[in-house]
Each structure stands twice: as C-alpha cells, then as structure tokens.
Amino acid sequence: MRPTVRLTADRHQQMRLRLWYHAEALLGIILEGPPPADKQMERYFKNNRKMGKKDRGFAAETVYGCLRHLRLLRHVAGDNAPYAALVAGELLLQGHSVDDLKNARLTGGDGWSLKELARHLSRIDEMPAAVRASMPDWLFERLKAQLGAAEAFELAEALNQPATLDLRVNTLKSDRDSLIAALAEEGAELSPTPYSPLGLRSNERAALFRTAAFENGLFEVQDEGSQLIALLTEAGRREMAMDFCAGGGGKTLAMGAMMQASGTLYAADVAERRLKALKPRLARAGLSNVRSILLKNERDPHVKRLAGKMDRVLVDAPCSGTGTLRRNPDIKWRDINVAELVELQGRILDSAARLVKPGGRLVYATCSLLDEENGGVVRAFLAAHPEFKLLDAREILARQGADVPLDNEMMQLYPHRHATDGFFAAAMERTGS
C-alpha cells in the first residue's frame, strides 16, 4: 500500500517521513504475510540495506507497537483503516502530539484523520476491556477467568510492553560478578536479575553480540524465566539427561553447564535445522557432552531405546506462546487451536515420561499463560500415571538459590508479577517403575 503522505522539500522532514513509510510498509507485509513477524522484519531489513541502525530501530519499535496495540488501533481507526492510520495511532500512543505529526507533514487521508485518532484515543477508559487490553476476546476471557478482571488487565498491560534483555552467565567459563565486570569494560552496564542466580539484565539493548565476552562464550541471551525452568531440573554431574523438545537450545545449554559438561545430555527435536543451529552455540559454550537426536515424532524409536535410562527429562512442549507476547505480539492475531495443542502436549508428556528412570525427574514446561496447557495437562498426566508425584517448585528453586514467589507447587511466571516472560513449569519425580 502506498503512503498517504507527501514528502516536503525539507530534508529532515523527508527523512522522518521515509521512516514512517518503512514502518507502514513493514506493518503491511507482516499483517498480510505468513508468520512470524521477526522473520518478516529480518527479511525486510535485508532487502533495505540503506536503512541505518537508528532507522531500523524506529521501524521495528513502531511496528511492534502496532502489533501490540492492533485491536485498540483498529477500534479507533476502523477495522479497514490503512496501515498509515495504524502507524499514526501508535505514534500518538507513544506520546507524539497531533502537532508533531502535522509539522512533519504526516496528515490523514483515506478516511482517517489525526484529530479523530487523537480524540478516540483520549477516551480509552470508555472502551470494552478486551479492546483496552488489545487482546482477542478468547484470550482475555481465559485470563480473566484465571486471574480476575483487574489482574487480567494488569497482565495485558505488561504484555504490551517491550521485553527485557536477559543474559545467563556460562558457569563453565565465568561467574556473574566477573561477567558484569567484563561487560562493563566493553561499555555494557548490566544488573543481576531478581530471581535467577545466573541472570543479568540489560537496561539498554547494547551491542552484546559484538563483545569479546559473547565471542568467548561467557554468556547466552536467555530470559530469566527460561533460566528458572532449567534450574528446576537440578541436572548434575555424570547424569544422563534429555531436553526432549530442545528447540533453539537455550535450556540445553543451561542444563549442560549445570552438569559441568559431564555425563550425557541429549538435545532432541523434530526440526533438523534447529539442531544444526545449536552446534556452534555448543562449541562457543564449551559443551562437549551434548548429543543431538532428530525425532520423527513423540513416538520415535529413540524413545524406546532410551526408555528408563534418564535421570532428568525436560519437556518444553509446543504451546500457544501466549507467555511471550512481549517479544512476539503477532501471536495474538493468529488462529490458535488450544484444544489441539493440549492433546499434543499430553501425547508428548506421556512419551517423554517413558525415558525417566525410577527416582528420576520429569519437568514439563511451556511458554503459555493458559491453565489448559499448563496445570491442566499436568493434572491429567498425574491422574493417569500414579508412578509420578508432583514436587514443590518453590523448594527446588530455593535449593538453587532462587527465591521465587509462586501461588503453589507449580511454577507459573507472569510479566506483571515477575518481570519475566509468562513461563510455566512443573517438576515431577518417578517413584515407581
């Protein structure tokens, strides 16, 4: 879609309008194209190499803001509003005034106006709760049933904020204090995360991937909540363990460091490309005890061969991803079949449980906020498998140096309570054969 603005002769204004045009064009590509948004954005920037770092930052921040507030913006601008109207609405939400946008020659058109957008946005408190939360009804209603209306809205507001940038120190090569000092020498200021004893949080998105500390494998980027999931396994030296749905491998790397690169750690996944992408990360981290297993499905023959041999099994199951909306706001606008996911999660957990030996531990985890995918799956599993018992996540985390406030024995993290992504995990022990 062509921009609805005209460039002026003023170079500064032209530059700003060009940035708004990029944001408008990129938003259209993401909303009309296949997910995920980050891949579409990466491709767009690669095809527009003349955009500088600040230009890319402006476009990315604006587009992610539009995706976070999409329902609200469509409510005030109209369901069929052009992308320029949505971008203008987001800029108004960010604090730009109507005069700011007019002075830069960003004006209304195609049935929308800056004044009308600003007028509607000034009356947000009068809008339906799900619109104010900028969530689809199905998701907001589920969260309201779980938390109550007031806290559901508080959670939605937290999900509509940018995520933090968290690091996990690689204890094979460094410790937290040493890493803070090393990164400070390279111009990056970080502070300890509140819960994970291995975590650091950056207040600015510094160029951490260009630091010597990163090249030398002293840390990995990993949300604090994901670090806590790895700690729940309590993986130790000379054990046999498996990350059953390894994905990008963040928890595999964390478990490998906990095992001090000893014993055997299997990284299993159904996507070969993910396992290949993990190899350089393993080398940089100094992990030589990890073996990759490509699974055809949850009933792969590898499961039968390794049945009853694992001390620790982590199941980071495929899920709705609703806990990661700070990072992936486009997930809100996808079609998600929760019932289908719950059925798949149950099958995967049943299969992975076969790997655990008596006395061994099984950890089920998701990046979902929905009890159907979390506690519901665990309760159904325990009812069908009396040989497993639920452990108290609070006690396990305390042993690992993480004092995390939780509602019960299962770990459900929330952005508005814990400042992490919305992770869930439950730890279980196999007490019988």
Side-chain angles (χ1 to χ4, degrees), residues 356-359 386-388 430-433:
V356 184
K357 71 181 186 182
E387 71 275 21
F388 281 88
R430 183 166 205 152
T431 58
S433 58

Side-chain angles (χ1 to χ4, degrees), residues 87-340:
V87 171
E90 173 58 25
L91 292 172
L92 290 170
L93 285 174
Q94 289 179 13
H96 295 275
S97 70
V98 171
D99 288 339
D100 287 339
L101 303 187
K102 281 186 175 180
N103 289 338
R105 301 296 188 269
L106 184 65
T107 58
D110 294 345
W112 64 278
S113 74
L114 290 168
K115 284 186 177 180
E116 282 297 298
L117 288 177
R119 186 176 68 83
H120 287 303
L121 287 171
S122 69
R123 303 173 65 180
I124 288 178
D125 291 344
E126 300 174 15
M127 298 175 191
V131 173
R132 285 187 287 124
S134 203
M135 277 189 175
D137 288 335
W138 72 266
L139 178 55
F140 189 76
E141 290 302 317
R142 279 173 163 84
L143 295 178
K144 187 168 70 172
Q146 289 178 206
L147 300 170
E151 190 172 5
F153 189 75
E154 188 180 349
L155 170 58
E157 286 187 313
L159 289 169
N160 285 334
Q161 301 300 315
T164 58
L165 179 62
D166 296 350
L167 313 181
R168 176 187 56 78
V169 61
N170 180 5
T171 53
L172 295 177
K173 296 187 174 185
S174 187
D175 58 67
R176 188 154 68 171
D177 290 340
S178 299
L179 180 58
I180 290 175
L183 288 172
E185 290 183 2
E186 299 194 62
E189 294 186 10
L190 296 103
S191 56
T193 49
Y195 304 119
S196 170
L198 307 175
L200 292 175
R201 181 159 293 163
S202 175
N203 295 322
E204 298 181 2
R205 293 197 171 274
L208 294 169
F209 292 110
R210 292 198 292 270
T211 62
F214 176 75
E215 293 295 332
N216 294 329
L218 303 189
F219 71 86
E220 286 287 336
V221 174
Q222 186 178 26
D223 183 80
E224 183 182 25
S226 181
Q227 297 178 37
L228 296 176
I229 290 175
L231 290 177
L232 282 175
T233 67
E234 287 192 295
R237 286 176 55 83
R238 296 184 294 276
E239 291 186 335
M240 288 185 68
M242 181 179 289
D243 187 350
F244 195 69
C245 304
K251 299 177 188 69
T252 303
L253 294 165
M255 291 172 65
M258 293 170 67
M259 296 169 70
Q260 298 180 46
S262 67
T264 303
L265 174 58
Y266 293 93
D269 203 273
V270 295
E272 187 174 11
R273 60 178 175 78
R274 293 174 185 161
L275 295 176
K276 286 183 177 180
L278 178 58
K279 288 183 179 181
R281 298 179 71 188
L282 293 171
R284 189 173 60 247
L287 287 172
S288 56
N289 66 325
V290 179
R291 299 181 185 179
S292 296
I293 297 179
L294 180 62
L295 301 176
K296 295 179 181 178
N297 51 49
E298 71 274 7
R299 293 292 181 182
D300 190 279
H302 283 101
V303 177
K304 184 177 181 180
R305 180 172 62 84
L306 294 171
K309 296 182 179 180
M310 296 294 127
D311 296 284
R312 318 281 165 173
V313 175
L314 170 62
V315 180
D316 189 4
C319 68
S320 64
T322 49
T324 68
L325 294 181
R326 299 186 304 169
R327 303 176 196 279
N328 307 298
D330 54 309
I331 287 176
K332 286 191 286 189
W333 318 118
R334 300 180 196 171
D335 292 328
I336 298 175
N337 189 327
V338 177
E340 188 175 276

Side-chain angles (χ1 to χ4, degrees), residues 15 18-19 22 26 41 44-46 48-62 165 186-188 202 204-211:
M15 178 188 69
R18 187 171 66 250
L19 295 181
H22 280 302
L26 180 53
M41 194 170 292
Y44 184 88
F45 292 151
K46 189 175 293 184
N48 291 270
R49 295 184 181 276
K50 290 185 179 180
M51 295 179 69
K53 180 181 177 182
K54 290 184 178 179
D55 295 354
R56 294 193 300 271
F58 174 90
E61 179 183 357
T62 304
L165 179 62
E186 299 194 62
S202 175
E204 298 181 2
R205 293 197 171 274
L208 294 169
F209 292 110
R210 292 198 292 270
T211 62

Side-chain angles (χ1 to χ4, degrees), residues 142 146 338-339 342 345 364 370-377 379:
R142 279 173 163 84
Q146 289 178 206
V338 177
V342 168
Q345 291 155 356
Y364 172 77
L370 305 179
D371 185 64
E372 294 160 83
E373 301 181 83
N374 298 336
V377 171
R379 290 188 291 271

Side-chain angles (χ1 to χ4, degrees), residues 22-32 63 66-67 83 86-87:
H22 280 302
E24 177 189 351
L26 180 53
L27 178 63
I29 289 171
I30 289 173
L31 292 178
E32 294 175 9
V63 168
C66 289
L67 293 172
Y83 302 125
L86 303 180
V87 171

